[in-house]
Amino acid sequence: MPDDGGPRPFRTEITDGMRIEWDVPIEMDDGTVLRADVFRPVTAGPAPVIMTYGPYAKGLPFSRGYPSAWEAMARDHPDTVAGTSNRYQNWEVVDPEKWVPHGYACVRVDSRGTGRSPGRVDPFSPRETRDFHDCIEWAGTRDWSNGRVGLNGISYYAMNQWQVASLRPPHLYAICPWEGAADFYRDGSHQGGIRSTFWDNWYDMQVKTVQYGIGEAGGRNPSTGQLICGDDLLTPAELAANRTDLGADIAAHTFDDRYHRDRSAHWDAIDIPVLSCGNWGGQGLHLRGNVEGYLRAASPHKWLEMHGHAHWPLFYTDYGVALQRRFFDRYLKDEPNGWEDRPPVQLQIRHVDATFTPRGESAWPLPATRWTRLHLHTGRMLAAPEPATAGTAQFAALGDGLEFTTGPLPEQAEITGPLAAKLFISSTTTDADLFLVVRVYAPDGEEVVFQGALDPHTPVAQGWLRASHRRLDPDLSTPYRPYHPHDGAEPLQPGTVYELDIEILPTCLVIPAGYRIALQVRGRDYVHPGPAARLSNLKNDLTGCGPFLHNDDLDRPAGTYDGHTTVHTGAPHASYLLLPVIPAP
């Protein structure tokens, strides 16, 4: 019989300088009992709480569940694994051995239907968000808690911070969403209105593999000997009945409707302190939401931090832990540590050799920005002057498209901030998908790419738009950040020219003199010409866009998306790329 979630004794031990309570029950409002591990100081007295709630199984060690990511992190960032036994290192959550000695309690909750928590799996759903709210309130009212709960984690554990903060749990005092989407439609499931297949593959690889009830297939927690995925063995039919079909759910909601809004932040309700940390190379999922969150959250106390490197390591480095801890020391402990004196925008300025220079700024976009238009010209040139004569260039609508390139830059240029493009296009069919890639080339013709959040060959910037979703929201749009409501489709009349304003996600790069900037207008995902890479937790090879691909044939059916797209240039159809150029100091 399936576990009814009823109370069972939980094990307590003192080890590695911590008091650990394994598999603590937390009852939800519908009677379902979720399970949590609690790591807290041995000494008496209340402590502030760092909490995570999510589907990756609290008993699954990082090194076992994500071996290629673990090996890369330990190799490239040795400080992430120093000063700790690494016994409690889990995927995308804090290492308690780096927090408990500083007076924090760390609570990890298995979300409903995953790990050791029974129930039905429905990622990011209102049910999950209510569970998270109730777990926060549980932690904030324990006798070992000081009543202040902070949320800190990567990706999934960042995304649901925005959601639950929107419910305003009374004991939630601060959040640090590290590289996580906030708008489930625009940031996650439909970039530019084009469906991403990431969630289908992610669900198979990282959630179904730790669903409650899979028995020994989920392995055992090396610290407790418990089955990681609960003590019951469910049949395949029972497992399938206990989880939603996430890919089908997303495919059934092609527009930004209530399904997506229920899984997104509600900005006006987020009024607690926020430290939002994004990744310049996180174009598919781990960038836009952090910038939007900083700009749109109602909190008067908010900071934006932007960095590079791979998705997970920086969070665990001395740099990341010190940044997070100083923020939480201020708002969970009331320590007067001068946090508020920091610039509200803290950037790691990226260079072509993949090094970074830290710099503080007073606002986003940067106040010194010189918004610069580079017009598309016949001959595939990209240049500041508007073309004197009109021109056209056509490409196969599902192909690699066209590339417009500047000449060698006469002097160094810094590009930091949001980008956009205005394109005038026509199509031989009733719709067209536009994939924009901002590329930079060295004098020898080699493309400058970076270790992105997941893909080691990530281009400088990307943007997307389905032409039938071209209508703008006039209240939320700016010239440098077009905002589309995505609430319906307006098909194209074949051969008619349409004006498209396309959001290109923020970037940062200091480009030396002699390098060239290019805008590629494509009909499909970017592919880096070099060798592919792999990560053990991902289904597809990494060929430039990581796992964030737009390759659902049902979303892009033949007859609508396989025609030809024409880009129009020059008056009266002056297409251009808008760049945020930062003057030299």
Side-chain angles (χ1 to χ4, degrees), residues 30-45:
D30 65 351
T32 300
V33 175
L34 307 184
R35 295 285 169 171
D37 292 338
V38 179
F39 305 82
R40 54 192 180 92
V42 175
T43 56

Side-chain angles (χ1 to χ4, degrees), residues 53-71:
Y53 169 103
Y56 295 147
K58 61 185 177 60
L60 178 63
F62 189 155
S63 57
R64 180 189 298 181
Y66 302 85
S68 58
W70 171 264
E71 291 162 7

Side-chain angles (χ1 to χ4, degrees), residues 77 154 178-179 277-283 286-287 305-317 319-320 346-351 354-358 450-455 458-460 506-509:
H77 301 272
I154 309 173
W178 191 283
E179 298 188 29
C277 303
N279 190 321
W280 299 123
Q283 294 153 12
H286 303 115
L287 168 58
E305 187 271 352
M306 294 294 297
H307 54 260
H309 300 292
H311 175 41
W312 60 94
L314 210 65
F315 178 83
Y316 297 94
T317 61
Y319 165 83
Q346 302 162 38
L347 307 179
Q348 295 289 325
I349 302 299
R350 186 167 59 176
H351 301 270
T355 60
F356 296 85
T357 303
F450 295 95
Q451 171 61 63
L454 293 172
D455 201 298
T458 300
V460 172
T507 192
C508 174
L509 185 61

Side-chain angles (χ1 to χ4, degrees), residues 30-367:
D30 65 351
T32 300
V33 175
L34 307 184
R35 295 285 169 171
D37 292 338
V38 179
F39 305 82
R40 54 192 180 92
V42 175
T43 56
V49 180
I50 300 293
M51 173 175 276
T52 47
Y53 169 103
Y56 295 147
K58 61 185 177 60
L60 178 63
F62 189 155
S63 57
R64 180 189 298 181
Y66 302 85
S68 58
W70 171 264
E71 291 162 7
M73 182 179 77
R75 179 189 68 239
D76 299 336
H77 301 272
D79 55 329
T80 61
V81 296
T84 168
S85 72
N86 295 302
R87 290 179 58 195
Y88 314 102
Q89 286 265 35
N90 279 29
W91 179 243
E92 300 190 334
V93 300
V94 302
D95 179 356
E97 287 188 276
K98 293 189 176 183
W99 286 82
V100 172
H102 295 270
Y104 286 91
C106 297
V107 178
R108 297 172 175 170
V109 186
D110 278 340
S111 58
R112 184 180 292 245
T114 66
R116 294 189 60 82
S117 292
R120 185 172 185 270
V121 186
D122 191 358
F124 304 113
S125 65
R127 176 67 265 178
E128 270 206 356
T129 307
R130 174 52 57 178
D131 288 347
F132 197 2
H133 170 285
D134 292 352
C135 289
I136 291 167
E137 291 307 290
W138 174 88
T141 55
R142 299 303 94 189
D143 57 7
W144 44 260
S145 167
N146 75 348
R148 297 189 178 193
V149 178
L151 308 179
N152 189 21
I154 309 173
S155 194
Y156 198 104
Y157 300 106
M159 293 174 68
N160 63 10
Q161 290 184 45
W162 296 115
Q163 289 180 265
V164 76
S166 300
L167 297 184
R168 291 178 167 166
H171 289 89
L172 181 59
Y173 273 68
I175 62 172
C176 178
W178 191 283
E179 298 188 29
D183 179 325
F184 195 63
Y185 189 89
R186 292 165 185 80
D187 304 348
S189 73
H190 289 78
Q191 284 86 15
I194 310 166
R195 184 169 109 79
S196 169
T197 55
F198 165 73
W199 294 109
D200 311 51
N201 298 330
W202 166 84
Y203 203 43
D204 288 344
M205 297 291 287
Q206 292 185 236
V207 179
K208 293 179 183 179
T209 52
V210 289
Q211 185 179 355
Y212 179 89
I214 64 172
E216 291 286 354
R220 290 183 177 271
N221 183 336
S223 294
T224 65
Q226 291 178 308
L227 286 167
I228 290 170
C229 297
D231 298 323
D232 297 301
L233 182 63
L234 305 185
T235 67
E238 289 172 322
L239 290 169
N242 272 355
R243 63 179 183 249
T244 193
D245 186 337
L246 183 61
D249 291 346
I250 291 171
H253 296 271
T254 58
F255 302 115
D256 185 19
D257 57 12
R258 182 172 178 177
Y259 173 86
H260 286 94
R261 291 192 294 273
D262 281 345
R263 290 158 175 78
S264 301
H266 297 279
W267 301 117
D268 291 346
I270 301 176
D271 55 7
I272 57 174
V274 175
L275 172 58
S276 180
C277 303
N279 190 321
W280 299 123
Q283 294 153 12
L285 189 66
H286 303 115
L287 168 58
R288 184 183 186 277
N290 287 103
V291 175
E292 288 285 300
Y294 168 72
L295 290 172
R296 300 182 64 188
S299 174
H301 306 290
K302 55 185 180 179
W303 288 263
L304 174 66
E305 187 271 352
M306 294 294 297
H307 54 260
H309 300 292
H311 175 41
W312 60 94
L314 210 65
F315 178 83
Y316 297 94
T317 61
D318 292 345
Y319 165 83
V321 173
L323 181 72
Q324 300 153 30
R325 192 185 297 145
R326 189 174 178 191
F327 171 70
F328 285 115
D329 282 350
R330 174 63 188 88
Y331 293 109
L332 301 188
K333 293 183 176 182
D334 268 341
E335 289 189 2
N337 59 9
W339 173 266
E340 294 97 332
D341 298 332
R342 297 173 68 93
V345 176
Q346 302 162 38
L347 307 179
Q348 295 289 325
I349 302 299
R350 186 167 59 176
H351 301 270
V352 294
D353 62 355
T355 60
F356 296 85
T357 303
R359 191 173 78 209
E361 294 283 352
S362 62
W364 181 275
L366 309 192

